[in-house]
Amino acid sequence: MGTISELLLIVLVILAFFLLVTGVGVYFLVKVGRKAASKARQATTRLTTHVNAMGTGDAAEVERLRLDLRREVSLTRQAVEQAQRQGWGLGDLPDLLSDLVRQADVHDGQLGMYAQQRRVSPYVDHVTLDRLREHQAKLTAMCARIRADLLSDQVHHTAAGIDDLHSRTELEIESRRRAPDPLDEIDELYRRTVQERKDLP
């Protein structure tokens, strides 16, 4: 009777272990599935924007504005992240970029809403479109100014590094040159003196 209960206990422990492993596996599969679904939705949205941007008319123009804004924000984010990796003093620029990205997301949503309405409705709201274009111009100009400032800083840092390297190279080359031998100089002076005496009448 004792061996049967021990055997039953071992089987129950093994079964509980397999249930635990299965539960953890299902949890991670669901988590990965949700991430994959989110990525698929984002990719579908991007693809739809690219396809809609190939058309003509106001809706296609607005979709192109969306693509342009996303590209500008992405380039600016990459420039700031690179500067952070290199340890530059950026001040409040990362916080400013976060605010800019949030505002660009809001603007992107407004552009998407306008494009969707424009595709299904024949009525054109020129006033809203003009304001969206103004906002677009301001946001992309801010991105361009941030990148230009960071590039200027990078060129300044690079110039300082190049100047330092140039100085070190000159010093190293100078130190590797063979110092003139004083005996050779004395021989050269003696030869010149003898030559000058021969040339005298």
Side-chain angles (χ1 to χ4, degrees):
M1 190 72 177
T3 48
I4 292 177
S5 63
E6 287 177 8
L7 187 61
L8 189 58
L9 183 62
I10 291 172
V11 169
L12 288 175
V13 168
I14 292 173
L15 185 61
F17 177 73
F18 280 126
L19 285 173
L20 179 67
V21 170
T22 304
V24 169
V26 167
Y27 171 76
F28 282 115
L29 282 175
V30 168
K31 197 169 182 180
V32 168
R34 283 184 183 162
K35 278 189 180 180
S38 173
K39 294 281 186 188
R41 274 195 300 274
Q42 290 174 359
T44 303
T45 303
R46 284 192 199 114
L47 181 63
T48 303
T49 304
H50 280 281
V51 170
N52 290 335
M54 291 181 200
T56 57
D58 291 338
E61 178 194 348
V62 169
E63 295 291 357
R64 287 191 290 274
L65 289 176
R66 291 178 79 190
L67 292 173
D68 186 43
L69 180 63
R70 289 176 188 170
R71 182 177 52 251
E72 291 292 318
V73 169
S74 175
L75 288 171
T76 306
R77 183 185 292 127
Q78 289 172 8
V80 170
E81 287 172 356
Q82 180 183 4
Q84 283 178 317
R85 279 193 302 272
Q86 293 177 353
W88 299 355
L90 296 179
D92 290 336
L93 198 56
D95 294 333
L96 178 68
L97 179 66
S98 298
D99 294 341
L100 179 64
V101 168
R102 276 194 295 276
Q103 193 60 51
D105 288 341
V106 170
H107 182 65
D108 182 67
Q110 292 169 350
L111 289 171
M113 192 182 310
Y114 182 88
Q116 183 181 11
Q117 291 174 5
R118 187 65 189 96
R119 279 192 293 274
V120 297
S121 173
Y123 302 106
V124 182
D125 182 3
H126 289 294
V127 175
T128 302
L129 181 57
D130 287 341
R131 289 186 65 202
L132 287 171
R133 285 179 182 140
E134 287 174 19
H135 294 167
Q136 172 86 10
K138 287 179 183 176
L139 288 169
T140 53
M142 282 187 278
C143 288
R145 287 193 65 199
I146 289 171
R147 288 197 314 272
D149 182 63
L150 289 173
L151 184 59
S152 175
D153 276 358
Q154 185 177 15
V155 168
H156 175 73
H157 284 292
T158 303
I162 289 173
D163 289 342
D164 179 55
L165 185 61
H166 178 74
S167 300
R168 287 174 41 213
T169 303
E170 291 298 318
L171 286 172
E172 182 62 27
I173 289 173
E174 192 62 36
S175 70
R176 291 175 52 81
R177 284 193 182 137
R178 194 170 64 107
D181 188 0
L183 293 176
D184 290 342
E185 291 179 358
I186 292 171
D187 284 347
E188 182 64 28
L189 284 171
Y190 177 74
R191 267 187 241 124
R192 270 194 232 150
T193 307
V194 169
Q195 186 64 38
E196 287 172 3
R197 284 184 187 160
K198 286 181 183 177
D199 292 341
L200 288 173

